[in-house]
Amino acid sequence: MESNFYAALKNVVTKHVNFKTVLGFSISAILLWLTFYNSGLHLKDVRLNGEQVYYFAAAIVVFIFSVWFYSVRAKLFWINSQKNQTSIHAYDSLILGNFYNCLLPGNLGEAVRAWHFSRKNKVTFSRSLAAIIAEKWIDAQMFVALAILLYLFKPFVSHYILYSIFLTASIVVLLSATYTFLRRNNAAERKIWRLIFRLQKTGRVLYRLYSHTGTHIDGIKTNRCITKYVFLCCIVFFLNLLQFFFLLKAAGVAEPVCSFYTAFLVVASMMIIAFVPSAPSNIGVLHYGLYSALILAAYQYGLSPDNKSLQSFALFGIYVHLSYIIPEVLLGTLFVIKERKIIF
């Protein structure tokens, strides 16, 4: 049964990956070019001097810590009467997933993470993948709270990033209301899934993921892990803020744009960036998205950025990308060697 599920999932991915891959690479190339063209930044300007090196190194260290806390949080979906946190292995899978996200388009590293976790912990692939979906689902609920705080901190200005954040938060609220309604109304839930089952194998894949995701989310409540889960979310959020603040310093972004509010805005913007089709590791999309976010922050502070500021904004996007990709590739390479018997 599980092999049929995996085959169906593979079939769904294969049908759509070609178009998404071409689209993603095209968008990435255009946005990367726009980042350099609009900012006036040149490759020779991408260098670290003096204390900028220490800020950049500190950002990488903070990111590595955040990944470890993320893995601790991921274990909470699997705690029950038979399993405790020490018997669950999540860190290796997370590192490998991040590594393959640097190499594969369309965030397919998440599928690698789920596959490795399923083999490492001897659970089905569908349950492993559903746990990742449950993570993203809860993160989306947290995003709504962050969006509300973001609008309270600074006045709203007409900018596509703020509109995108509002639209995304609104969609999450709508989907959350729909999910809650379906979970409480079995008759409506069955009618919808009867329609989806007409897709045959694809419908069965979607139902299994839906069912396991609901089980994981309910398990967090049943096992009384909600408080711990939210606490770990707060730690990861704070570490993300700290990472981006250090990178603002490393890029030479001047005050008042160089602030924890701007780092907060970047955290919210990353949620939007993750949805845009791109080449591996969100290259181009990440750079232009963060470049635009800093321009927005400057406007909110009542500033009109000059050429030097624009170059530092573009440099920030590059340093954020490097602060992810350097540790992910280095650690990923080590863990590929360490876990080669499971992976291959």
Side-chain angles (χ1 to χ4, degrees), residues 135 315 317:
E135 283 179 14
L315 201 58

Side-chain angles (χ1 to χ4, degrees), residues 59-301:
I60 289 179
V61 172
V62 170
F63 170 68
I64 292 172
F65 272 107
S66 71
V67 172
W68 183 80
F69 278 107
Y70 197 101
S71 70
V72 174
R73 192 187 73 168
K75 291 181 179 183
L76 297 182
F77 288 105
W78 300 95
I79 294 176
N80 53 40
S81 57
Q82 286 80 36
K83 290 187 176 183
N84 54 45
Q85 280 191 290
T86 57
S87 64
I88 304 164
H89 305 279
Y91 185 71
D92 296 6
S93 302
L94 187 58
I95 292 293
L96 290 169
N98 290 343
F99 172 70
Y100 279 99
N101 271 333
C102 295
L103 305 178
L104 303 175
N107 290 320
L108 289 178
E110 299 296 344
V112 175
R113 173 190 168 191
W115 178 72
H116 178 269
F117 184 92
S118 69
R119 300 194 67 182
K120 184 86 171 180
N121 295 276
K122 295 179 174 57
V123 297
T124 62
F125 175 76
S126 55
R127 287 187 64 207
S128 178
L129 185 58
I132 296 175
I133 295 173
E135 283 179 14
K136 307 300 182 187
W137 179 254
I138 296 177
D139 285 344
Q141 317 306 309
M142 300 291 290
F143 172 77
V144 174
L146 294 180
I148 293 172
L149 288 175
L150 187 70
Y151 290 125
L152 292 176
F153 286 153
K154 286 289 180 182
F156 184 89
V157 297
S158 182
H159 194 279
Y160 74 89
I161 289 181
L162 291 182
Y163 287 125
S164 298
I165 291 173
F166 176 78
L167 178 61
T168 304
S170 299
I171 292 173
V172 170
V173 171
L174 179 62
L175 291 176
S176 298
T178 303
Y179 175 78
T180 302
F181 170 76
L182 292 176
R183 297 295 287 184
R184 294 180 179 179
N185 191 321
N186 293 332
E189 188 178 38
R190 283 195 296 269
K191 287 180 181 179
I192 290 176
W193 280 109
R194 284 196 193 103
L195 294 174
I196 298 176
F197 278 142
R198 293 180 180 178
L199 299 175
Q200 297 180 348
K201 288 185 178 180
T202 302
R204 292 195 291 273
V205 168
L206 292 175
Y207 178 75
R208 184 171 290 192
L209 289 175
Y210 173 81
S211 177
H212 285 318
T213 300
T215 300
H216 283 305
I217 294 173
D218 293 341
I220 290 287
K221 302 174 186 177
T222 304
N223 296 313
R224 298 178 181 178
C225 294
I226 294 178
T227 302
K228 189 172 184 180
Y229 192 94
V230 172
F231 176 69
L232 288 169
C233 285
C234 291
I235 291 178
V236 172
F237 170 72
F238 173 75
L239 291 175
N240 288 337
L241 278 182
L242 199 59
Q243 177 190 356
F244 294 138
F245 181 74
F246 285 151
L247 292 170
L248 287 168
K249 290 284 191 181
V253 176
E255 295 180 354
V257 178
C258 181
S259 64
F260 277 102
Y261 168 77
T262 302
F264 192 117
L265 176 62
V266 169
V267 173
S269 300
M270 292 293 284
M271 184 77 173
I272 310 300
I273 291 169
F275 283 107
V276 181
S278 67
S281 74
N282 291 111
I283 188 170
V285 175
L286 178 68
H287 298 79
Y288 189 78
L290 298 185
Y291 169 73
S292 299
L294 265 60
I295 292 177
L296 167 60
Y299 289 155
Q300 289 181 305
Y301 279 107

Side-chain angles (χ1 to χ4, degrees), residues 8-20:
L9 180 65
K10 182 179 179 181
N11 185 48
V12 172
V13 172
T14 303
K15 286 182 178 178
H16 295 87
V17 72
N18 291 334
F19 171 75
K20 290 187 67 176

